[in-house]
């Protein structure tokens, strides 16, 4: 579980960075040296909470908040609690619910990870402009009467307000579509689109990282909808580094935790292809060594479970770099994507059973261990699948 102290350290680091960027260091034209960039990124994640990959085994964790992909929409109650002043003002907005261990400033620090151009501070009106059309409001503390009126979990201590447009797809989601967070059930007439989709994606990712929940705005003929994202659903890691690790070097790092890992064999062009290439380009030398622009390493996971599938480490020059990385480190960057897919492609489906969650946690621990080795070996910057910064220390747990 994320601790208040760890989140505060991350928040304070983000605030320091924002202040330094606003003022600028004395005698400096604003350029960031490689060493300064590394320090800034390290500060942004110093003490950031490590996602607990083994929540099922921790008796201190509230299992109601992590048992599934989401809490099913709550049917209207005939004996619903009467509205309070706060609930009447809040129920028309999407709400990010926080427990007593999390503060609004912790949310701002995570937003800064995803949107580094936005200062992690509220303005004098207690608001933060996220885009031209959307803004975050500090919201309100929730007392027992407001919790009952809004029909949110009893652990909810505070509600952060997301004020954004209502953009919906014009048709219902198809029968075969299943969103891991349950959005297909929460929006049966049409999934969120454009600006609303972007804002909900952001606050659901934050709720997942903080192990909290999102209450969707009330809508006619729909029950109260509270989504609790599965905090263990996001397993992949994205690592960015200016350094290219040769396949044998990367493989040696991976094999420290997965001795049976192997490199995908490279295709060998036949004689006809080489002959045609020589005709098309007179300077082409068929005997020249092959220069790789990318490669993949594979780890079969049959020892964990027959349905575990495999892990693939994809290495290539990044075509796009997340803003939090680009803000501090120049291009080009090499991307090391540690990707897992189970044999039955169920990892993004809602309602994982206990066996699948147990298997996923074991795979996630292996992904984290491999990610930590590659992160240190490449002297890179790491992000989780939701786009939040992670360090090798966090990954090693």
């Amino acid at each position: 579980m994320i601790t208040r102290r760890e989140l505060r350290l991350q928040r304070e680091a983000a605030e320091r960075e924002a202040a330094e960027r606003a003022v600028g260091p004395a005698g400096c034209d604003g350029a960031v040296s490689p060493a300064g960039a590394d320090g800034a990124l390290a500060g942004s994640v110093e003490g950031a909470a490590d996602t607990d990959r083994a929540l099922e085994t921790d008796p201190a964790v509230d299992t109601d908040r992590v048992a599934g992909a989401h809490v099913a929409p709550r049917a209207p109650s005939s004996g619903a609690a009467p509205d309070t002043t706060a609930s009447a003002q809040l129920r028309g907005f999407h709400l990010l619910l926080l427990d007593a261990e999390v503060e609004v400033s912790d949310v701002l620090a995570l937003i800064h990870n995803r949107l580094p151009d936005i200062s992690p501070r509220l303005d004098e009106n207690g608001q933060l402009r996220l885009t031209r059309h959307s803004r975050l409001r500090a919201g309100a503390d929730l007392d027992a009467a407001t919790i009952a009126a809004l029909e949110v979990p009893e652990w909810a201590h505070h509600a952060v307000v997301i004020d954004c447009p209502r953009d919906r797809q014009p048709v219902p989601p198809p029968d075969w579509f299943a969103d891991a967070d349950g959005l297909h059930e929460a929006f049966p007439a049409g999934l969120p689109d454009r600006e609303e989709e972007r804002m909900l994606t952001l606050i659901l990712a934050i709720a997942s990282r903080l192990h909290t929940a999102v209450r969707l705005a009330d809508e006619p003929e729909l029950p109260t909808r509270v989504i609790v994202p599965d905090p263990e659903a996001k397993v992949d890691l994205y690592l960015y580094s200016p350094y290219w690790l040769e396949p044998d070097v990367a493989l040696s790092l991976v094999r420290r935790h997965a001795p049976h890992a192997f490199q995908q064999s490279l295709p060998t062009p036949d004689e006809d292809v080489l002959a045609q290439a020589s005709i098309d380009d007179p300077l082409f030398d068929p005997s020249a060594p092959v220069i790789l622009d990318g490669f993949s390493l594979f780890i079969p996971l049959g020892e964990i479970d027959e349905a575990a599938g495999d892990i693939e480490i994809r290495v290539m020059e990044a075509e796009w770099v997340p803003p939090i990385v680009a803000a501090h480190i120049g291009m080009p960057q090499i991307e090391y994507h540690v990707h897992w897919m189970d044999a039955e492609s169920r990892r993004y489906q809602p309602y994982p059973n206990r066996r699948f969650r147990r298997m996923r946690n074991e795979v996630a621990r292996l992904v984290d261990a491999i990610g930590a080795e590659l992160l240190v070996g490449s002297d890179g910057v790491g992000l989780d699948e939701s786009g939040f910064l992670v360090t090798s220390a966090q990954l090693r747990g």
Side-chain angles (χ1 to χ4, degrees):
M1 181 66 180
I2 288 176
T3 67
R4 191 171 184 174
R5 175 182 175 276
E6 289 171 329
L7 286 169
R8 183 174 292 111
L9 287 171
Q10 183 179 13
R11 177 192 72 224
E12 291 172 352
E15 290 175 344
R16 286 196 302 271
E17 180 190 344
E20 290 170 359
R21 291 176 62 189
V23 176
C28 178
D29 60 1
V32 179
S33 66
D38 293 345
L41 280 170
S44 294
V45 298
E46 182 66 32
D50 178 18
T51 301
D52 181 8
R53 299 291 197 181
L55 288 173
E56 294 176 1
T57 63
D58 187 349
V61 174
D62 181 358
T63 54
D64 290 340
R65 295 168 60 182
V66 298
H70 71 290
V71 172
R74 301 163 183 238
S77 171
S78 57
D83 254 339
T84 65
T85 301
S87 66
Q89 294 174 343
L90 294 172
R91 62 173 61 256
F93 299 95
H94 298 317
L95 305 176
L96 175 59
L97 303 176
L98 307 181
D99 62 26
E101 298 297 318
V102 182
E103 299 178 0
V104 174
S105 48
D106 301 323
V107 175
L108 302 182
L110 291 177
I111 290 176
H112 183 67
N113 270 200
R114 294 278 293 262
L115 304 170
D117 290 336
I118 296 178
S119 175
R121 298 175 179 173
L122 299 175
D123 62 19
E124 62 276 8
N125 298 315
Q127 300 181 3
L128 177 69
R129 183 168 292 278
L130 300 172
T131 69
R132 189 173 69 174
H133 304 290
S134 302
R135 56 188 172 177
L136 175 148
R137 298 178 183 172
D141 290 337
L142 305 178
D143 57 23
T146 302
I147 289 173
L150 291 175
E151 299 179 86
V152 297
E154 293 183 359
W155 53 258
H157 175 77
H158 187 93
V160 175
V161 174
I162 304 298
D163 186 358
C164 68
R166 300 291 183 265
D167 295 326
R168 303 290 164 80
Q169 296 180 7
V171 296
D175 294 338
W176 51 262
F177 177 81
D179 177 79
D181 293 322
L183 291 177
H184 61 296
E185 296 176 341
F187 297 96
L191 291 168
D193 198 13
R194 295 172 297 195
E195 182 75 359
E196 186 178 28
E197 178 189 18
R198 290 188 288 269
M199 291 300 102
L200 281 177
T201 298
L202 174 63
I203 62 172
L204 285 170
I206 293 173
S208 176
R209 179 69 178 249
L210 298 178
H211 297 205
T212 59
V214 172
R215 185 195 190 277
L216 301 175
D218 283 359
E219 297 186 32
E221 301 181 2
L222 286 178
T224 300
R225 298 159 297 162
V226 178
I227 296 179
V228 182
D230 185 350
E232 307 305 317
K234 304 296 178 66
V235 176
D236 287 14
L237 295 172
Y238 292 84
L239 316 176
Y240 296 91
S241 169
Y243 302 110
W244 168 274
L245 295 179
E246 292 295 336
D248 57 334
V249 175
L251 187 59
S252 68
L253 294 175
V254 172
R255 281 180 171 170
R256 293 178 182 178
H257 301 278
H260 53 294
F262 64 92
Q263 181 184 355
Q264 183 184 35
S265 60
L266 299 175
T268 303
D270 58 30
E271 294 182 359
D272 292 339
V273 172
L274 293 175
Q276 184 61 45
S278 299
I279 295 174
D280 295 338
D281 183 1
L283 299 179
F284 175 74
D285 181 4
S287 64
V290 176
I291 299 176
L292 293 178
D293 60 1
F295 62 90
S296 291
L297 307 178
F298 284 90
I299 306 169
L301 301 175
E303 295 181 357
I304 294 178
D305 191 289
E306 61 183 11
D310 55 48
I311 294 172
E312 179 184 3
I313 296 98
R314 304 167 180 169
V315 183
M316 66 187 72
E317 183 175 334
E319 297 181 356
W320 176 84
V321 173
I324 189 62
V325 177
H328 299 282
I329 300 176
M331 295 288 283
Q333 290 286 304
I334 305 302
E335 179 182 273
Y336 300 83
H337 179 191
V338 188
H339 171 68
W340 170 59
M341 181 52 72
D342 62 285
E344 300 175 355
S345 300
R346 293 176 52 198
R347 63 166 294 199
Y348 294 115
Q349 297 297 312
Y351 312 118
N353 58 37
R354 183 175 295 275
R355 175 187 172 185
F356 186 88
R357 294 200 305 272
R358 189 179 298 112
M359 174 188 73
R360 182 183 62 190
N361 287 344
E362 191 169 349
V363 172
R365 285 191 289 271
L366 180 57
V367 167
D368 285 356
I370 291 170
E373 294 290 349
L374 293 173
L375 191 56
V376 173
S378 66
D379 193 23
V381 175
L383 287 85
D384 64 18
E385 195 170 343
S386 295
F388 300 122
L389 291 164
V390 293
T391 66
S392 58
Q394 290 174 331
L395 296 175
R396 285 171 172 161

